[in-house]
Amino acid sequence: MTPIAFALVATDILAAVALSAIYFHRHRRRDLVVAFLGVNVGVLAVASVLGTAEVALGLGLGLFGVLSIIRLRSSEITQREVAYYFAALALGLICGLPHSELAAPIILVALIVSVLAIADHPRVLSRARHQVVHLDRAIADEIELRAELENILHGDVTALTVQQLDLVDDTTLVDVRFRARPAAQAPSAQAPARRQSDTTHGATFADIVGGTQ
């Protein structure tokens, strides 16, 4: 193994560990950390053994196709996790291909890890939400449905798609994209309870005073 190839292997391992650490710190799925590292190291090893850019490119496209099939047949992998999969695969391909210099692959590796670290940061688009809501009412009017969803979700609906409108059982299944309102604007659930509690205690105290008189 040449010094450049050895340096690329070390770079790939460090980048894959960093990528997996970012994912686990934010989403806490150990099984996917194992999958990301396994995909990365496997692609790195195969690409290094094959040793030509043409074969490695074909291998990469084939693995992208396999991951697409896995995504279509699995209901537990989100689009975010697919992005991490593809990033782990791309890191293995970049570092597994033969290179005559280190600058270009290292820059690409740093770019991939940096983009995912920033794009998946909790503060980026933090108020954007996605929810599938099953209402116990059949609402055919979109304006009324939007108002009902905004009242339930305490947010501003940006897009909605009615997946099922059941007029027999009187239900609506809707896919909602909405923007959560700041905490200061959300209605407090504890305030009515406290007011009711204060009223109850006040009535009890008045009854006691009235009884003593």
Side-chain angles (χ1 to χ4, degrees):
M1 181 179 289
T2 65
I4 291 179
F6 182 82
L8 287 175
V9 169
T11 300
D12 176 74
I13 297 299
L14 291 175
V17 170
L19 189 72
S20 301
I22 291 170
Y23 175 82
F24 183 76
H25 177 70
R26 294 175 180 172
H27 307 291
R28 301 293 175 177
R29 285 196 61 174
R30 180 179 178 273
D31 57 334
L32 288 180
V33 170
V34 176
F36 299 150
L37 292 175
V39 166
N40 174 265
V41 174
V43 171
L44 174 70
V46 174
S48 299
V49 170
L50 293 177
T52 64
E54 292 79 7
V55 175
L57 179 60
L59 172 67
L61 294 175
L63 289 174
F64 273 94
V66 170
L67 287 179
S68 299
I69 294 173
I70 293 173
R71 172 66 185 95
L72 292 174
R73 296 180 62 87
S74 174
S75 59
E76 297 186 5
I77 299 178
T78 65
Q79 295 293 342
R80 177 190 292 112
E81 290 153 357
V82 170
Y84 278 93
Y85 261 117
F86 281 105
L89 189 154
L91 292 175
L93 279 177
I94 291 172
C95 295
L97 290 173
H99 293 278
S100 58
E101 59 178 12
L102 287 174
I106 289 178
I107 291 173
L108 291 174
V109 166
L111 178 64
I112 291 173
V113 176
S114 301
V115 167
L116 271 181
I118 295 172
D120 192 36
H121 195 279
R123 294 185 180 179
V124 176
L125 301 176
S126 60
R127 291 169 58 190
R129 299 286 190 275
H130 171 223
Q131 188 75 41
V132 177
V133 181
H134 198 176
L135 299 173
D136 60 352
R137 293 174 52 204
I139 306 176
D141 183 73
E142 183 175 339
I143 297 177
E144 181 184 356
L145 178 60
R146 184 182 295 269
E148 179 72 14
L149 291 170
E150 290 183 346
N151 182 52
I152 294 173
L153 299 173
H154 307 306
D156 302 317
V157 174
T158 57
L160 61 89
T161 302
V162 177
Q163 297 182 343
Q164 183 178 5
L165 182 64
D166 194 334
L167 299 178
V168 177
D169 294 332
D170 196 24
T171 59
T172 305
L173 183 64
V174 57
D175 185 289
V176 190
R177 302 292 199 279
F178 66 100
R179 182 178 176 84
R181 293 170 185 152
Q185 297 181 9
S188 175
Q190 297 180 352
R194 285 197 298 267
R195 287 195 296 269
Q196 183 178 1
S197 176
D198 294 342
T199 303
T200 303
H201 288 307
T204 305
F205 178 77
D207 291 342
I208 295 173
V209 173
T212 54
Q213 291 177 350

